[in-house]
Amino acid sequence: MTTRHEVARAEGRDLRLSRWFDAPRELVFRAWTEPEHMAQWWGPHDFTTPVCELDPRPGGVLLLHMQAPGGAIMPNEGEFHEVDPPALLTFTLRAFPDERGEARLHVLVTAAFAEARGGTELTLKVDVLRAVDMEGPLSGMEQGWSQSLEKLRDLLAAPRGRA
Amino acid sequence: MTSMEARHLDDTFAALADPTRRAILDQLSRGEATVNELAEPFQMSLPAVSRHLKVLERAGLVTRHRRAQFRPCRLEAAPLAEAVGWLERYRRIWEASFDRLDDYLKTMQRENDDDDTP
């Protein structure tokens, strides 16, 4: 069943993340484009991905159903745009459907894989195309009060002149 | 963002802009404390600590309640979570995936090495 999605005007926000991995970029690229591998790392800790379908070519489908530790299923679906092994991958993802089946979150993910220091530098840009009422859904994905509290401490940590 | 939300965020960030106030919040994240207990590590006067607490209360980051003759201060994390916002939570989800990818790549390489052994 396909749902009709309206991609609203660009929200204009984007996330940028970089990480270096101690592996050749061909392998990292495979981890992103082969479903049996992607299912092993996608999503937060303790989440599984019982459904993972990837057709890594322009217009090809992505289907990623994550399962939370409590059993709730969170579907992600989208399409690939650019697939340029082992250097570049772009795809759209839609997630968090509302009561009518409309995805609350649409993002465009751009993943660039560069050789660096004997491994791979991954640079990710996540453009937020649509985000409606996102506060609630994500709070369910964070684990435990104690972890949040630790993060709060990190956020607050600052040098201070204690006696 | 409405202008009311914007002013609320301004209060939150103004509250966090001071290192003493951040240290007070850090202590409160470990449990409630009275004004005396909060003042002690800073060798600061009680009125000075109270001024900082007023800023934190106005931002909704701290509330005070009564227990016997004390009025302990308590951390309220919700305004801070709002200031951090869903986008930062979303970023942390991606970062968690990267942690898992890091581990998984090691597994992939071990399996590759096993395949290569004659």
Side-chain angles (χ1 to χ4, degrees):
Chain A
M1 176 189 128
T2 50
T3 50
R4 189 167 162 271
H5 297 290
E6 285 170 14
V7 179
R9 74 182 191 287
E11 299 265 4
R13 282 174 288 182
D14 66 80
L15 287 179
R16 285 159 196 266
L17 297 97
S18 289
R19 184 79 72 100
W20 183 82
F21 297 98
D22 192 5
R25 58 178 184 162
E26 289 75 15
L27 204 68
V28 187
F29 198 87
R30 281 181 56 203
W32 279 76
T33 51
E34 292 176 12
E36 65 275 18
H37 295 307
M38 191 151 204
Q40 299 303 314
W41 62 268
W42 182 261
H45 299 287
D46 301 332
F47 276 59
T48 59
T49 305
V51 175
C52 186
E53 289 171 23
L54 301 173
D55 184 13
R57 56 198 174 95
V61 144
L62 285 102
L63 197 61
L64 291 151
H65 284 202
M66 289 194 305
Q67 185 160 33
I73 299 278
M74 294 169 186
N76 286 253
E77 50 93 16
E79 324 46 63
F80 287 99
H81 305 294
E82 293 162 282
V83 181
D84 181 23
L88 184 70
L89 204 58
T90 67
F91 54 91
T92 300
L93 272 186
R94 291 177 290 271
F96 302 107
D98 63 19
E99 325 73 49
R100 294 175 306 156
E102 293 263 2
R104 300 229 264 300
L105 181 68
H106 291 201
V107 296
L108 176 66
V109 178
T110 304
F113 305 76
E115 285 177 352
R117 305 186 296 284
T120 302
E121 184 77 30
L122 170 67
T123 307
L124 198 81
K125 187 154 96 82
V126 182
D127 287 293
V128 178
L129 305 177
R130 182 175 201 255
V132 176
D133 295 335
M134 285 305 298
E135 290 293 340
L138 290 176
S139 63
M141 291 176 84
E142 290 203 292
Q143 298 155 262
W145 171 240
S146 59
Q147 230 186 45
S148 298
L149 208 50
E150 259 170 48
K151 285 173 175 127
L152 182 63
R153 289 222 194 101
D154 290 345
L155 194 69
L156 297 171
R160 49 191 180 265
R162 288 219 173 181
Chain B
M1 186 181 294
T2 64
S3 61
M4 202 168 88
E5 285 165 341
R7 278 200 299 279
H8 175 64
L9 275 183
D10 285 347
D11 285 345
T12 304
F13 286 117
L16 293 173
D18 179 274
T20 304
R21 291 198 282 272
R22 288 200 297 274
I24 289 172
L25 290 174
D26 183 51
Q27 176 153 356
L28 291 176
S29 76
R30 296 170 220 277
E32 291 181 357
T34 62
V35 179
N36 283 325
E37 286 164 348
L38 290 170
E40 192 263 319
F42 300 108
Q43 316 261 334
M44 194 181 278
S45 71
L46 292 185
V49 175
S50 291
R51 275 196 294 278
H52 283 301
L53 284 172
K54 275 196 172 58
V55 174
L56 291 170
E57 282 179 87
R58 189 168 64 235
L61 289 166
V62 167
T63 54
R64 305 184 65 176
H65 56 287
R66 291 191 186 285
R67 182 163 307 138
Q69 69 272 44
F70 299 112
R71 290 194 64 215
C73 305
R74 173 191 290 164
L75 178 67
E76 303 288 342
L80 202 62
E82 274 169 46
V84 170
W86 74 267
L87 196 59
E88 284 309 301
R89 292 180 169 191
Y90 186 59
R91 172 196 295 276
R92 286 202 293 269
I93 290 166
W94 277 101
E95 287 178 357
S97 291
F98 283 7
D99 291 345
R100 292 180 69 189
L101 176 58
D102 196 33
D103 287 339
Y104 183 63
L105 284 165
K106 297 183 172 82
T107 305
M108 277 178 95
Q109 288 180 286
R110 270 199 300 273
E111 285 172 359
N112 262 11
D113 291 345
D114 289 346
D115 288 344
D116 289 345
T117 12

